[in-house]
Structures are given as structure tokens and as C-alpha cells.
Amino acid sequence: MACQVQLILAIFAALLAALPFLSLNSFPIRRLLYPTCRCFPGEPCWPSDESWDAFNKTLGGKLIKTVPIGAVCHTNQSFVPYDAAACAELQAHWNEADTHVSSPSSITAPFFADQSCDPFAPPSSPCSIGTYVQYTVRAAGASDYRATIEFAKSNNIRLTIRNSAHDYFGKVTGAGAIAIWTHHLKDINVFDYASKHYTGKAAKVGAGVSMSEISQALKQQGLLAVIGNAPTVGVAGGYTQGAGHGMIASRHGLAADQVLEWEVVTAGGELLTASPSKNQDLYWALSGGGGGTYGIVLSMTVKAHPDEPTATAFLQFNSEGISTDLFYETIATYLHNTLAITDAGVGSIFQLSSAYFAVVPILGLGKTKEKIDELVQPTIDALTSKNIPFSYESTQYNSFHDAYAATTVETPVAFGQLGGRLPPRSDIEFSTTSFTGALRTIAEKGGLISGLSFNVSRMPDVPNSVLPGWRRSTISLVTGLIWNNTDWNANLEAQRIISEEFIPEIDRVSQQAPSSYMNEAAAREPNWKSVFFGDNYPELLRIKKKYDPSGLFWARTAVGSDTWVEGSDKRLCRT
């Protein structure tokens, strides 16, 4: 068989030599030679340097050739000179989001860099582009989207979509890929919006606007939007497209519930508006059905709500000095307490390890300090009656934005691997002891646990593709293990533990089929279609095929992604 393939290729080469009007760079010829895979660097089909230069000119100089930021830590590379001081500086700031957000190619999930140019590896270790994208387009508008789409299609090159690089699945990178970088689309326009379903203030934000940027813009006008707890995350990217939770979700709903319109460029290069009255199927899919697969979002228009006084509270107690049983009994009291807290329109975040339990914070939009104290009182009473030392502090702020700035810190990135679940409310309401027992098992195995509590059971006025599990749940639960910068095998074992021990422990005590926030889940989730999309998957796939029939847009665990697979060299090929 191998000899036959070689013979066929030799015949094609001879034809090309005999017919000068044909070229190996001709798309039909490449599809004959490489029918099932995206073109890969080093292959005859890969564009020449002259082709890349010409493409860059059409973009007005917006094409960026990848230089891995970890290259300064390596002697065995030709990107930049080795610099021990610069390497030490990079290592010191590696877990800060800005390190990766400001880069056109770096990623926040180190596993998907596949040890290429790893800043913590020995200086003499290999350093190549590897799984990083080959080039990035610093997009400034729809014309850059279209030009990049056309170049990728005509050259059969893998295309990926990159915003802020906050991503636990490596969706923003890919071996042999070109990335459209939406991060610099920063326009924010606040205006009066009127439609059949909504009349009021709205904010139209470019695809690259971050949580902190929309917060600052709306603060000046006495407004707010539903945002999450990581200030540098892009609002219109995978966050909103994947549902998007946050501290005021109990009051106003998920981020996807806020969307009034999308501007999106399709795989065919068409700029569409998707709303409840235009291209309704695309609007439905983008509003909760996951990012990076139906089209490339240019902007998003969302509801802007009035700002209000906001109260917060922090609570912590430790396991030291009390029995383990008592420690988890008190945690169970708090978890049950969160039902009343979220039903009152308040959100909260807790953190749990075998050593401590902390609520950081509880946040009530439109609530007074006294109301927050009242809501938390059942947990305070339990701590007091059991003589458990604890710390508690509540604060009143004049606005949500002041509370957000005071209580929100940038989550470290590139430091852990995780898995997640959206346990149904019934697990907390009727099986609190069993549920807490599962958390105890995970914590005693060294797992770190976090949960964002909410109540988003109220359906939005306009249907969207948010995973139904969100409406039944009351906690977005995440559990994980710390990333080991120097032991690759330990990280692989951590992935196994999360997927085969931690998450199954939660599923074991649950009353319903598992669901998970698609942005905060295990990279090895075997049942990702049902766990991330539920019964929406077949319709989402139909819409995917309608707007991207050739499968140009690909991302791990995105709708339709199982029609492609990464090989041992990470090249993308059809299954």
C-alpha cells in the first residue's frame, strides 16, 4: 500500500512538471494530494514566505509570526537569544493572566502547549513552535476576518479563534494553525434599544472587550452588565457563548440570557446580524451553544441594567482544632444555606480544601449589609453553637462596580487542571449530607474545590441554547489539582485522578444525569456532548453544518469537533 501511495505521488509530481500551468500550491491539487488533513508546515502545500508576505500586505501589516514567549528560556532555538534574566522574570509572572492575554500566541492551559518552549524546562530542552499557532492576525474588523478566512480556506490551513486566551481546553491554539485574534476589538457603545422582547439601555461591545473594560464603561453611566469574576476575560467570547455565570446571575440571569444581537462573520465570509428576529437559529446557537464553531463574533449587544448599591460578605473557618466530621457538617449547613441566599437573588463563591472553608465573597446586588447578614445567619448560628472559630465581615458599597473592584482579583492562570459539574438543586436540598461527603472524599485526596452558587432557573424571554442543566442547578462546582511545572507525568496522573476519581465521586451521589459548565470542565470528559450541551446537541450540530458546512471552525469539544481529530503530530485531520 505504501508503495502505491508513493507511486501516485510520483505521478502527480510528473504531471505538475509536465503541465506548468498547474501548481502544487493550487488548492484543487493540494486537496488531491492531502485530501483529509489540514496542510502542515514543511509540506509542499504550505504557503511560501512570499505568500505569507503578500497576505500580510493585504492585512495592512497585521500578521504576526509566532515567537513562543518561553523561547528566552532556551538555548536550543533560533527565535530569540537565550536570556536567563528575562526567563526568570517570565517564570515569576507566568501565572498572571496578563502574561498570556497580551501575547498573540501563548495559552493559559500549559498541557496543550505540549512542553514546547516550556519556560520551566531545562535551557537545553527542545524549543519549537509545536502546538502554538504559526501565525496570528491582529484583527481590527470584519475585513480582516474575511481575508483570513479566505487565506485559510484557499491554502487548507487550520484556523482557530483567539480572544483573551482564557481557556482550559487549548481551543485558542493548534499545530499548523493561523489564529484570528479578536482581542483588540475594543469598541463600547451604550444606547437605547427597542425591540419586541426588550426596551431599555443596551451596550454594544467589540469581541475583545474584557470584563473590567465593560464594567468601567458602564459605571460612568450608572449601568452594569452580567460579567464573571476574572477581569481580563473577554465578555463576548467563549464566556457568553458558553453560558457565562457571575455574582449577579441570580438577579439578572446568565450572560447568554442578556444577549440582544450578535454580529458574526460566517465561514463563507458573510457578515450577519443574529437576533431573535434575524437569523434566529444562529442567535440561538451563539447564545449558550459554545464558542469558536458557528462563526467569528465581531460584536455583541447586551442588556445594560441600572447600577445599585451592593453588599458583600466574607466568611472563613478552618479544620484545625475541630473534628473532621464537625468540619464537614458545618460545610453542609452552609451549602444548604446557599439555597435561601441564591433564591434571594444573591450570589456567592466558596473555596474548600481539607484545611479550610472560605466564602469569597457573598455579593448581593441591591441588597443592604443587614440583609446579607440575615441571609448568612443560619451558618453563623451553626458555627457559634458548635464553638467553631470563624471570621466574618460584611460591607456596604454605593454601587456594584465598587463592590466588584473591591472583591474581585484576577484568578491565577496556568497553575492547575480541573473538572466540573453543575449538580442539580435536589442534590443540595435533599441530599446535602451525601453531596458534602463527596466533596470530603475529593478534599481528603488532595483536591481543591470551588463553587459559585446561583439561581438561574427563570427562563429568559427569548429561548437560547444554554445547557438545560444550568436551570436545574444551584452551584457551578469545580475541582482540580495544581499544575506541576517540572513533572509532566505528574500532570498526566492529575488528569486521570480528576476524570476517573474526583468527578465520578460527584456523579455517584447525584440524582440526575451529569451536566457541566463547558468552560470549566475536565479536558478528558468522555461524554462531552451530553455533559456540555445536553439535548440541544443535535440542533446545534444542524446549525453548525448550515453556517460552516466544510468544518472550517474547529475547537476541542465544540459542536461538530468529532468530525476532526488531532494526530500524534497534532495535525488536524478528518475522522
Side-chain angles (χ1 to χ4, degrees), residues 84-426:
C87 179
E89 182 73 6
L90 178 65
Q91 291 173 340
H93 296 281
W94 187 251
N95 288 342
E96 297 174 9
D98 284 340
T99 298
H100 308 279
V101 170
S102 61
S103 164
S105 56
S106 188
I107 59 176
T108 58
F111 174 77
F112 294 100
D114 201 27
Q115 297 180 285
S116 178
C117 291
D118 188 332
F120 297 95
S124 60
S125 62
C127 174
S128 63
I129 289 179
T131 58
Y132 291 116
V133 297
Q134 292 284 319
Y135 290 88
T136 298
V137 174
R138 189 184 188 276
S143 61
D144 294 330
Y145 283 18
R146 290 193 184 101
T148 308
I149 287 170
E150 179 57 32
F151 187 83
K153 289 167 66 175
S154 63
N155 289 282
N156 190 30
I157 294 175
R158 180 176 178 175
L159 178 66
T160 190
I161 304 166
R162 174 187 181 85
N163 187 351
S164 67
H166 283 274
D167 169 31
Y168 291 106
F169 291 85
K171 295 180 179 182
V172 300
T173 194
I178 182 172
I180 293 181
W181 195 15
T182 68
H183 179 63
H184 296 277
L185 296 166
K186 299 292 190 181
D187 289 344
I188 302 175
N189 180 30
V190 180
F191 62 103
D192 294 315
Y193 189 93
S195 72
K196 176 182 176 182
H197 301 284
Y198 176 77
T199 298
K201 291 293 184 179
K204 181 177 181 180
V205 298
V209 171
S210 69
M211 306 283 186
S212 62
E213 289 165 342
I214 190 174
S215 176
Q216 288 302 311
L218 293 182
K219 178 181 180 180
Q220 298 173 11
Q221 303 197 40
L223 300 169
L224 58 81
V226 172
I227 56 177
N229 287 69
T232 58
V233 168
V235 182
Y239 168 72
T240 296
Q241 292 174 54
H245 61 32
M247 297 300 287
I248 60 174
S250 294
R251 175 73 179 278
H252 288 303
L254 295 164
D257 299 338
Q258 315 303 309
V259 181
L260 301 168
E261 293 183 5
W262 299 95
E263 275 190 312
V264 58
V265 176
T266 68
E270 188 175 7
L271 175 62
L272 299 178
T273 296
S275 72
S277 59
K278 298 178 183 177
N279 302 300
Q280 294 95 328
D281 56 352
L282 185 57
Y283 167 86
W284 180 83
L286 287 168
S287 305
T293 191
Y294 312 103
I296 312 177
V297 168
L298 186 67
S299 75
M300 174 184 74
T301 302
V302 295
K303 299 174 184 177
H305 305 282
D307 193 5
E308 299 179 63
T310 300
T312 67
F314 288 81
L315 169 69
Q316 181 170 337
F317 57 94
N318 301 326
S319 60
E320 184 179 2
I322 63 174
S323 72
T324 302
D325 288 344
L326 186 57
F327 178 61
Y328 287 99
E329 284 173 14
T330 312
I331 291 171
T333 297
Y334 174 77
L335 293 175
H336 202 273
N337 194 177
T338 60
L339 300 179
I341 291 171
T342 58
D343 287 351
V346 176
S348 69
I349 295 177
F350 72 80
Q351 296 175 356
L352 165 64
S353 75
S354 59
Y356 73 95
F357 180 82
V359 184
V360 287
I362 297 169
L363 187 147
L365 176 66
K367 297 294 188 290
T368 63
K369 173 184 180 300
E370 291 73 21
K371 182 60 178 179
I372 296 297
D373 294 341
E374 176 188 327
L375 288 169
V376 187
Q377 194 61 47
T379 301
I380 301 298
D381 289 343
L383 288 161
T384 303
S385 66
K386 296 170 184 177
N387 295 315
I388 299 174
F390 68 94
S391 60
Y392 177 77
E393 180 183 359
S394 56
T395 307
Q396 185 76 51
Y397 295 92
N398 291 328
S399 75
F400 163 74
H401 300 286
D402 292 342
Y404 182 81
T407 61
T408 303
V409 295
E410 188 66 65
T411 303
V413 298
F415 81 107
Q417 300 185 102
L418 54 80
R421 280 294 184 263
L422 293 168
R425 181 185 177 106
S426 58

